[in-house]
Amino acid sequence: MDHNVYLLATDPKNPCRDIIHSRDTRLKVRVFCLDEESFSPDDNEIQLYGYANNKLYAFETINIAADDALDLMDAIQWYAGYIEYPDMEILPEDPRPGATYSDAKSN
């Protein structure tokens, strides 16, 4: 498919708790604002990170299927445009000092 359409589910009680849904695939991505909430990565999911407007975001898949993994970057880029920061750099690892994969697993 050349162009997926993404939808956003928001939590009215927590403006940082968005979920990106692909209309055309089963992809779902939970958004975390790491400056405002704790985050423990799920070993069974894919996590990516990005800075936008001086905030650090974590993006974690929900029940990822192998076929949907390729759409993850497009979904995050769509979200970056939605929050009016289309140049968000997407990072493969948590850039916070001391936040390594092994640290996250031990928490």
Side-chain angles (χ1 to χ4, degrees), residues 2-88:
D2 292 335
H3 189 284
N4 285 332
V5 173
Y6 298 101
L7 308 168
L8 192 65
T10 60
D11 182 343
K13 296 178 182 173
N14 185 347
C16 273
R17 192 51 66 90
D18 293 334
I19 298 178
I20 306 165
H21 294 261
S22 171
R23 184 189 70 180
D24 304 314
T25 68
R26 294 171 293 177
L27 179 68
K28 292 181 185 169
V29 182
R30 187 172 287 122
V31 180
F32 297 88
C33 296
L34 297 184
D35 300 334
E36 300 175 19
E37 61 186 316
S38 63
F39 172 67
S40 296
D42 183 332
D43 292 341
N44 298 313
E45 300 296 339
I46 299 170
Q47 298 84 27
L48 294 173
Y49 302 85
Y51 279 107
N53 298 322
N54 296 318
K55 285 185 174 182
L56 178 60
Y57 294 87
F59 301 92
E60 183 173 69
T61 58
I62 301 171
N63 299 321
I64 188 69
D67 294 346
D68 297 332
L70 296 174
D71 297 329
L72 180 56
M73 290 292 285
D74 286 340
I76 295 171
Q77 289 171 333
W78 173 85
Y79 185 79
Y82 172 80
I83 62 171
E84 299 180 359
Y85 204 84
D87 296 330
M88 175 190 288

Side-chain angles (χ1 to χ4, degrees), residues 39-41 43 49 94 96 98-107:
F39 172 67
S40 296
D43 292 341
Y49 302 85
D94 191 336
R96 296 176 293 175
T100 64
Y101 182 68
S102 60
D103 288 343
K105 286 177 74 172
S106 66
N107 286 337

